[in-house]
C-alpha cells in the first residue's frame, strides 16, 4: 500500500482537465456579498460541482476548543446563511454555549472558496418545522432517528431505530421533531477566494460596517 506522502505527491491541485479558474475582478464585484455568493453558487452548480450545498461548519465548545464538520446549506438571504441540526447534538450544544461560528465552502471545479464568520441565531420553531417538512422523507427519517452525537451501543441498535423512523416518516410526513433547529449565521465578514494558475489568488473580503453596510478589502494570498 502506498503511503500518504506518496499519494500526496502523485496528486495535482486544480488539474486543468477538470478545473477551470475564471478571473475575479474586484472592481466589478457587487456591493453586497450575498449577491456575489448567489452568483458563484449558481456558476459552480452549472460547472458540475457535485454537492455545492455542502459546507464546513466550525464551532467552539464551552472551553473554547474548536470543532468542525460538514453540513448542508439550507438557505441564504438577508437574514443569514442557514443550516440545521438537533439542539441537543454536539454542535447544537456548542452553539448554545458560544453562538458564533464560521462556514467554509470549497468548490474545486472553479477553484473557489467562500468563508464566513459571524453570530448565530435560532430561527423561530415554525420556520424550522417548515424547513424540515419541505425536505425528503430520508431527511425526516434521519431527524426522527435522533440522539445525534450520543454514544451508540451497536450498529444493530441504529438499524432498529432507523427502520422505525423511516416507517414513521412514510406514514406521518408531518411528524414533529422538537429538537430539530434551524440556525442562521449572519456574517460580520465574508471572504471570496478565487484561485489563479500562477498562484496570484484573489482574496476579496467584505466586512460589515455600522448601519449594515459593507466595506471591501483585498488580502494577500
Amino acid at each position: 500500500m502506498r503511503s500518504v506522502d506518496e499519494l500526496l505527491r502523485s496528486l495535482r491541485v486544480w488539474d486543468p482537465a477538470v478545473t477551470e479558474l475564471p478571473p475575479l475582478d474586484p472592481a466589478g464585484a457587487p456591493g453586497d456579498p450575498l449577491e456575489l455568493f448567489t452568483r458563484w453558487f449558481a456558476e459552480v452548480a452549472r460547472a458540475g460541482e457535485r454537492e455545492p450545498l455542502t459546507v464546513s461548519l466550525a464551532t467552539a465548545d464551552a472551553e473554547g476548543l474548536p470543532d468542525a464538520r460538514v453540513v448542508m446549506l439550507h438557505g441564504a438571504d438577508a437574514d443569514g446563511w442557514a443550516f440545521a441540526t438537533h439542539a441537543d447534538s454536539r454542535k447544537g450544544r456548542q452553539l448554545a454555549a458560544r453562538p458564533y461560528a464560521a462556514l467554509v465552502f470549497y468548490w474545486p471545479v472553479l477553484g473557489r472558496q467562500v468563508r464566513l464568520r459571524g453570530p448565530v441565531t435560532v430561527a423561530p420553531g415554525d420556520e424550522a418545522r417548515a424547513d424540515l417538512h419541505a425536505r425528503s422523507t430520508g431527511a425526516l427519517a434521519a431527524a426522527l432517528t435522533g440522539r445525534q452525537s450520543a454514544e451508540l451501543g451497536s450498529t444493530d441498535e441504529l438499524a432498529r431505530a432507523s427502520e422505525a423512523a423511516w416507517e414513521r416518516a412514510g406514514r406521518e410526513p408531518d411528524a414533529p421533531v422538537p429538537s430539530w433547529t434551524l440556525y442562521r449565521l449572519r456574517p460580520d465578514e465574508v471572504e471570496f477566494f478565487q484561485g489563479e494558475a500562477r498562484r496570484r489568488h484573489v482574496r476579496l473580503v467584505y466586512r460589515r460596517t455600522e448601519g449594515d453596510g459593507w466595506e471591501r478589502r483585498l488580502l494577500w494570498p
Side-chain angles (χ1 to χ4, degrees):
M1 181 182 295
R2 302 169 72 185
S3 70
V4 172
D5 286 346
E6 288 173 326
L7 286 169
L8 284 171
R9 286 192 291 271
S10 72
L11 298 173
R12 296 189 65 182
V13 176
W14 301 333
D15 185 339
V18 295
T19 298
E20 177 188 355
L21 297 175
L24 169 59
D25 177 11
D32 190 316
L34 178 61
E35 183 179 343
L36 183 54
F37 178 86
T38 303
R39 183 189 307 169
W40 273 25
F41 191 82
E43 288 173 354
V44 297
R46 286 197 301 268
E49 191 67 56
R50 293 288 182 108
E51 295 183 351
L53 72 170
T54 56
V55 57
S56 296
L57 166 67
T59 55
D61 64 18
E63 288 73 43
L65 298 176
D67 208 346
R69 76 290 287 161
V70 175
V71 298
M72 291 191 181
L73 180 69
H74 283 224
D77 55 28
D79 293 325
W81 276 248
F83 57 92
T85 188
H86 292 278
D88 54 0
S89 68
R90 178 181 293 180
K91 53 187 173 294
R93 295 193 305 271
Q94 290 171 351
L95 288 168
R98 290 174 176 263
Y100 199 92
L103 296 171
V104 182
F105 294 87
Y106 178 48
W107 298 317
V109 69
L110 294 182
R112 289 175 171 173
Q113 296 181 54
V114 181
R115 303 171 60 210
L116 307 95
R117 297 192 303 169
V120 176
T121 58
V122 174
D126 59 337
E127 292 185 22
R129 287 189 293 274
D131 175 79
L132 176 60
H133 294 130
R135 304 179 75 79
S136 67
T137 300
L140 177 58
L144 287 167
T145 301
R147 290 178 278 181
Q148 191 177 65
S149 303
E151 289 193 8
L152 176 66
S154 69
T155 55
D156 287 342
E157 181 182 358
L158 172 61
R160 290 192 296 272
S162 176
E163 284 298 325
W166 273 91
E167 190 277 331
R168 185 182 177 192
R171 172 173 44 85
E172 192 180 343
D174 293 326
V177 185
S179 62
W180 190 252
T181 304
L182 184 68
Y183 297 89
R184 288 194 177 93
L185 186 152
R186 187 172 182 269
D188 295 325
E189 181 177 295
V190 185
E191 177 186 331
F192 293 86
F193 172 103
Q194 176 60 67
E196 198 271 342
R198 295 183 65 83
R199 302 303 191 261
R200 299 165 184 164
H201 314 312
V202 178
R203 295 178 64 187
L204 175 62
V205 177
Y206 291 75
R207 294 191 178 100
R208 194 181 294 275
T209 61
E210 292 185 13
D212 278 345
W214 295 94
E215 64 175 16
R216 290 178 292 175
R217 294 289 186 270
L218 292 173
L219 300 180
W220 282 83

